[in-house]
Amino acid sequence: MAAGTAAALAFLSRESRSRMRGIGALRVPAPVTMDSFFFGCELSGGTRSFTFKVEEEDDAEHVLALTMLCLTEGAKDECNVIEVVARNHDHQEIAVPVANLRLSCQPMLSLDDFQLQPPVTFRLRSGSGPVRITGRHQIVTISNDISEEEEESEEEDSEEEEAELCPVLPAKKQRGRP
C-alpha cells in the first residue's frame, strides 16, 4: 500500500472508515478509526504544572496537538515562561521552553498543531499566569480483529472476482487455405 494512500485513509470520515476493507483493487489491511477531542488546561500561581498522560495498556496511538497558548483574564504584565517536559527519540526526558508570554506585547501564541506524544508535562516556569493551553487529543486505532462475517464477505468477493474473469482458452488452429 502506498504511503499517500494510508495518509488519505487517515483523514476519511469515521463512518466511512469504521469497517472499510478496500478501495477498488486496493486492499487495506485493517480498519482505521481516528477520534479527536478538545484538550485544555490552565497554569497559574496555584497550579504551576499539568501532566497529560494516557493508559499504557491502550493499543491506540495518542497524539497531543497543541494549537494555542494564551494569557487569560487576571494576568499581570509580567513574563510568563511555559515549558514542556516530554521524551525525545531516545526516550530521555527533556524540558523545553515553548513560550514567553507578556500581556503588553505577546498575550498569545499560535502553535499550529505542535504535536507531542504523551506523557507530557506543562510547567509555568516563571510568572503567575493564568495561562491557558489548548489543543486536540487525537487517538488513532487500527483494529486487527476481523469478524467471521467480514471474512465470509471477503471470500464471497474474491469468488465473484474470480467468476467475472474469463478463463484463458487455447488458441484455435487455423487451417491453411488451398
Side-chain angles (χ1 to χ4, degrees), residues 36-56:
S36 185
F37 303 96
F38 285 117
F39 165 78
C41 70
E42 189 170 273
L43 305 177
S44 63
T47 308
R48 299 202 63 83
S49 70
F50 176 83
T51 301
F52 176 81
K53 54 187 170 187
V54 296
E55 295 180 25
E56 291 186 20

Side-chain angles (χ1 to χ4, degrees), residues 27-79:
R27 291 286 178 202
V28 180
V32 175
T33 57
M34 186 167 130
D35 296 313
S36 185
F37 303 96
F38 285 117
F39 165 78
C41 70
E42 189 170 273
L43 305 177
S44 63
T47 308
R48 299 202 63 83
S49 70
F50 176 83
T51 301
F52 176 81
K53 54 187 170 187
V54 296
E55 295 180 25
E56 291 186 20
E57 303 96 40
D58 192 359
D59 289 336
E61 183 73 24
H62 294 265
V63 174
L64 183 61
L66 300 180
T67 53
M68 186 172 43
L69 300 164
C70 66
L71 294 170
T72 59
E73 187 176 348
K76 299 176 185 172
D77 193 23
E78 62 186 358
C79 287

